[in-house]
């Protein structure tokens, strides 16, 4: 939580600390906060700014721990209640203002989906458990599909407040048990290592894992442990002397800290699995700690000259407010709401955020920091009641706004056109009743939904058995949407692959109809390597899996195997799932193949030609001969980036079954 730890006239004076003010620390916080805002305001080139959250955690833990250790050394104890009171004075005034704005936004501008959840979001924010609420909801931090909570960013506040609740007791316990500075630091570093190892155990393998590893207190604790260890190490001793490192160490720390931070911001992608699975967050947190070492060193250096620049230091003092306000302001007046001009939108959101944060800091936050509630309301006699009353009012208002939102609409019922479905291609063959009588359909979600919506009354004489599953890839090897981002087969898919031959035999299916999958256009991890359609080993793997399906079908009693090739698609970035969206940024060639699957369909043709009992159903040629088809006969062809619409289902089966029947008759004759 940027900026909620130390400023020139608050925390240090409250505990009469011997620690000097470091403009460079505020400057680092201010610069990174401004860059973080810029990313949320549309500067996609800064997608790696999510890593700077580690720096904020390190910095916050460092400052708080150092102050607590100093208090314990000076006074022999830590006044925990006074510590909590200072935290409340620093955090709550700005938070109450933002929550009030968010509720007004929810009533006037927000989507109904946002309003329905706002009560729970407000309660989770006030209770500092927003990170766990987002995990429970499966929230994708990099989601841009709309409906994002204006309080999504409160997850960092939650983690830090959870840290604040525990850290006084941790420091007291360590100083009683470990006693020496070295032992305390080592224990805290061991905690950081344990958190990093645990993060790898939890693991990030597909999009469903992301909320847990991204928002989890336990997975983010590694940065807090590192910051706390540094705070213990650099806290003043009984004599008041401040520990320090040698000048060469400080110089190297500054260079490594800056380089590692810049590297992470421009190189680390949104779904870099190695950040979670291989200790990336741990090492970047160490880099942040090195930057802190360079900033707090009192000797003049280039780090002080750059980060100590007064405008940056002032931005650092405002960074808590900047963080609180920037995201709700972006949702309220940015995000394409008022203008499509990205520059105007950026400037508008930046000016509003900085202006409101400055006003909040000057007229609300600082008076409360100095004098408590009486800084705003001098005549108040019961500050505790004055603090709790806004909590109750905001929580009640949040629940009231949520209850006023209309209930979620039911899924609309799509009216399937009556009568014979239109022909995709003039003169296309028609299905001959009973030829074949029973077809087993194998594939991913595309054939799964087609079979699920199959209009049996339109095609008497044929039965379809569904051996398809949603998200079920032909390959068992993990799919890799981007380097470091993998997704394996779901358990239902794995079970289906084992069970379908026996079901095929029991059902007496005549033909196995394989639907070639567009997922083959996405790289897979094969024996530790990321392979794609330009690699012979990958092509051989696909052919071998088709060969296995063919053998299994023939052994189960099939008389023929047919394979449907892949039609063209028209994916739009903002309307596709998170895992697909990563591909847009990682490899344009993949997107090109997904739109027009020439390589996959060529492989389909080659494989079919190598077997006398395999025939191709050319759906691509029928649908895409004149480019991507939006409509055929007034019927919308695709429902989304991948699937056929319910209205188009009879039309698709009319064409596919006609070709299947023709191929089946020809093979028998």
């Amino acid at each position: 939580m940027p900026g909620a730890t130390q400023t020139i006239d608050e925390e240090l004076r409250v505990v009469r600390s011997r620690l000097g003010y470091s403009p460079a620390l505020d400057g680092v916080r201010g610069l990174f906060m401004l860059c973080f805002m810029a990313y949320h305001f549309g500067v996609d080139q800064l997608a790696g700014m999510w890593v700077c959250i580690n720096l904020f955690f390190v910095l916050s833990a460092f400052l708080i721990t150092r102050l607590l250790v100093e208090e314990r050394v000076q006074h022999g104890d830590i006044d925990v209640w006074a510590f909590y009171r200072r935290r409340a004075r620093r955090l709550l005034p700005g938070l109450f203002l933002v929550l009030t704005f968010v509720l007004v936004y929810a009533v006037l501008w927000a989507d109904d989906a946002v309003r329905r959840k706002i009560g729970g979001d407000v309660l989770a924010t006030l209770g500092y458990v927003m990170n766990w609420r987002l995990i429970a909801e499966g929230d994708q931090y990099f989601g841009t599909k709309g409906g994002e909570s204006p309080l999504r960013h409160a997850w960092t506040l939650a983690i830090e407040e959870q840290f604040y609740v525990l850290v006084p007791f941790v420091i007291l316990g360590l100083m009683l048990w470990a006693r020496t500075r070295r032992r305390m630091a080592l224990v805290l570093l061991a905690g950081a290592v344990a958190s990093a190892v645990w993060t790898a155990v939890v693991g990030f393998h597909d999009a469903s894992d992301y909320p847990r590893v991204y928002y989890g207190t336990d997975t983010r604790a590694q940065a807090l442990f590192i910051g706390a260890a540094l705070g213990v190490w650099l806290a003043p001793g009984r004599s008041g002397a401040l520990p320090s490192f040698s000048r060469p160490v400080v110089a190297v720390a500054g260079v490594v800290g800056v380089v590692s931070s810049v590297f992470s911001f421009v190189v680390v992608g949104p779904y870099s699995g190695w950040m979670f699975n291989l200790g990336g967050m741990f090492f970047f947190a160490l880099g942040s700690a090195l930057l802190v070492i360079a900033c707090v060193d009192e000797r003049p250096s280039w780090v002080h000259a750059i980060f100590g620049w007064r405008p940056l230091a002032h931005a650092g003092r405002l960074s808590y407010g900047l963080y609180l306000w920037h995201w709700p302001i972006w949702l309220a007046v940015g995000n394409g709401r008022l203008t499509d001009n990205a520059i105007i939108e950026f400037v508008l959101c930046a000016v509003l955020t900085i202006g409101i944060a400055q006003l909040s800091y000057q007229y609300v936050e600082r008076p409360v920091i100095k004098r408590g509630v009486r800084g705003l309301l001098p005549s108040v006699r019961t500050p505790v009641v004055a603090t709790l009353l806004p909590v109750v009012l905001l929580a009640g208002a949040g629940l009231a706004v949520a209850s006023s939102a209309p209930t979620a609409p039911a899924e609309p019922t799509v009216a399937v056109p009556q009568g014979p479905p239109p022909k995709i291609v003039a003169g296309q063959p028609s299905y001959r009743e009973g030829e074949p009588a029973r077809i087993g359909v194998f594939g991913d979600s595309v054939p799964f939904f087609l079979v699920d919506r199959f209009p049996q009354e339109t095609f008497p004489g044929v039965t379809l058995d569904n051996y398809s599953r949603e998200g079920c890839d032909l390959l068992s090897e993990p799919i890799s949407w981007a380097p470091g981002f993998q997704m394996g087969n779901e358990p239902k898919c794995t079970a289906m692959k084992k069970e379908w031959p026996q079901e095929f035999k029991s059902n007496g299916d005549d033909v196995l109809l394989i639907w070639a999958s567009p997922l083959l256009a996405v790289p897979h991890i094969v024996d530790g390597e990321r392979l794609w359609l330009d690699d012979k080993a990958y092509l051989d793997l696909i052919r071998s899996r088709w060969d296995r399906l063919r053998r299994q079908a023939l052994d189960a009693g099939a008389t023929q195997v047919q394979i449907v090739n892949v039609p063209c698609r028209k994916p739009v970035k903002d309307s596709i799932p998170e895992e697909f969206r990563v591909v847009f940024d990682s490899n344009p060639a993949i997107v090109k193949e997904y739109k027009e699957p020439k390589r996959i369909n060529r492989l389909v043709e080659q494989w079919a030609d190598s077997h006398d009992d395999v025939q191709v159903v050319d759906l691509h040629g029928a649908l895409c001969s004149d480019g991507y088809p939006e409509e055929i006969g007034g019927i919308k062809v695709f429902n989304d980036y991948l699937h056929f619409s319910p209205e188009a289902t009879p039309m698709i089966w009319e064409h596919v079954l006609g070709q299947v029947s023709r191929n089946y008759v020809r093979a028998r004759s």
Side-chain angles (χ1 to χ4, degrees), residues 415-465:
V416 177
Q418 299 299 311
K423 304 287 186 181
I424 296 178
V425 178
Q428 68 185 32
S430 298
Y431 171 72
R432 296 186 184 182
E433 186 172 340
E435 295 184 320
R438 200 166 188 118
I439 302 171
V441 181
F442 183 97
D444 55 22
S445 59
V446 173
F448 175 83
F449 287 115
L450 284 172
V451 175
D452 188 59
R453 300 165 180 158
F454 179 64
Q456 185 66 63
E457 68 282 356
T458 305
F459 302 97
V462 64
T463 299
L464 302 184
D465 292 309

Side-chain angles (χ1 to χ4, degrees), residues 475-493:
L475 306 179
S476 299
E477 287 72 12
I479 196 168
S480 175
W481 303 104
F485 180 21
Q486 303 176 22
M487 185 173 71
N489 287 185
E490 294 287 339
K492 289 183 179 180
C493 173

Side-chain angles (χ1 to χ4, degrees), residues 207-237:
S208 64
D209 296 329
Y210 202 71
R212 180 64 182 85
V213 294
Y214 191 86
Y215 294 124
T217 305
D218 48 352
T219 57
R220 290 290 185 169
Q222 52 195 289
L224 294 168
F225 274 120
I226 288 172
L230 185 61
V232 166
W233 190 259
L234 293 182

Side-chain angles (χ1 to χ4, degrees), residues 9-82:
D9 58 359
E10 47 193 21
E11 296 288 6
L12 304 182
R13 292 183 180 177
V14 169
V15 295
R16 298 179 181 178
S17 172
R18 302 174 187 180
L19 305 172
Y21 170 63
S22 172
L25 276 183
D26 267 341
V28 166
R29 186 164 49 203
L31 176 61
F32 288 176
M33 186 62 239
L34 292 173
C35 292
F36 190 73
M37 285 168 48
Y39 166 64
H40 276 166
F41 290 169
V43 184
D44 292 338
Q45 292 79 2
L46 294 174
M49 285 306 300
W50 67 271
V51 183
C52 83
I53 295 296
N54 276 341
L55 182 139
F56 296 143
F57 285 155
V58 168
L59 184 55
S60 181
F62 164 74
L63 292 169
I64 291 297
T65 302
R66 190 167 67 158
L67 288 167
L68 291 173
V69 171
E70 185 196 20
E71 183 180 354
R72 172 67 169 77
V73 169
Q74 281 187 352
H75 305 292
D77 200 0
I78 294 174
D79 188 338
V80 177
W81 176 247

Side-chain angles (χ1 to χ4, degrees), residues 99-346:
L99 288 175
T100 301
F101 172 79
V102 164
L103 289 173
V104 173
Y105 159 75
V107 171
L108 300 180
W109 297 296
D111 297 335
D112 289 339
V114 173
R115 291 174 60 196
R116 282 190 288 270
K117 297 195 303 179
I118 200 66
D121 290 345
V122 170
L123 289 176
T125 300
L126 289 170
Y128 290 100
V129 291
M130 187 61 175
N131 62 320
W132 294 108
R133 175 171 169 83
L134 293 173
I135 290 171
E137 292 179 340
D139 181 88
Q140 293 287 339
Y141 177 78
F142 293 97
T144 55
K145 294 179 287 186
E148 305 99 326
S149 170
L151 294 172
R152 170 193 274 173
H153 64 319
W155 72 272
T156 63
L157 280 65
I159 289 177
E160 289 206 15
E161 188 63 26
Q162 293 158 27
F163 169 75
Y164 295 150
V165 168
L166 297 176
V167 66
F169 302 103
V170 172
I171 297 303
L172 285 171
L174 285 176
M175 295 189 80
L176 289 173
W177 175 70
R179 295 184 178 276
T180 69
R181 189 189 305 269
R182 181 187 299 273
R183 288 178 183 172
M184 290 174 64
L186 288 176
V187 170
L188 291 168
L189 286 176
V193 172
S195 172
V197 171
W198 173 247
T199 301
V201 171
V202 174
F204 172 42
H205 307 292
D206 59 61
S208 64
D209 296 329
Y210 202 71
R212 180 64 182 85
V213 294
Y214 191 86
Y215 294 124
T217 305
D218 48 352
T219 57
R220 290 290 185 169
Q222 52 195 289
L224 294 168
F225 274 120
I226 288 172
L230 185 61
V232 166
W233 190 259
L234 293 182
R238 295 185 182 278
S239 66
L242 293 174
S244 62
F245 295 93
S246 66
R247 187 179 289 272
V249 170
V250 173
V252 172
V255 172
V256 175
V258 170
V259 170
S260 65
S261 296
V262 173
F263 175 83
S264 68
F265 301 158
V266 299
V267 173
V268 177
Y271 292 99
S272 298
W274 59 274
M275 286 290 293
F276 305 96
N277 300 337
L278 299 176
M281 287 208 301
F282 176 85
F283 290 109
F284 281 119
L286 288 178
S288 298
L290 294 175
L291 184 54
V292 171
I293 289 172
C295 288
V296 298
D297 188 79
E298 296 179 340
R299 291 164 292 196
S301 68
W302 63 273
V303 171
H304 284 254
I306 294 175
F307 294 109
W309 187 42
R310 290 185 65 182
L312 288 182
H314 184 69
R317 289 194 290 275
L318 296 182
S319 57
Y320 178 55
L322 296 175
Y323 185 79
L324 283 178
W325 284 99
H326 84 283
W327 179 244
I329 284 176
W330 168 252
L331 294 181
V333 302
N335 205 21
R337 187 179 292 273
L338 300 181
T339 176
D340 292 330
N341 187 303
I343 296 177
I344 294 176
E345 190 172 65
F346 179 92

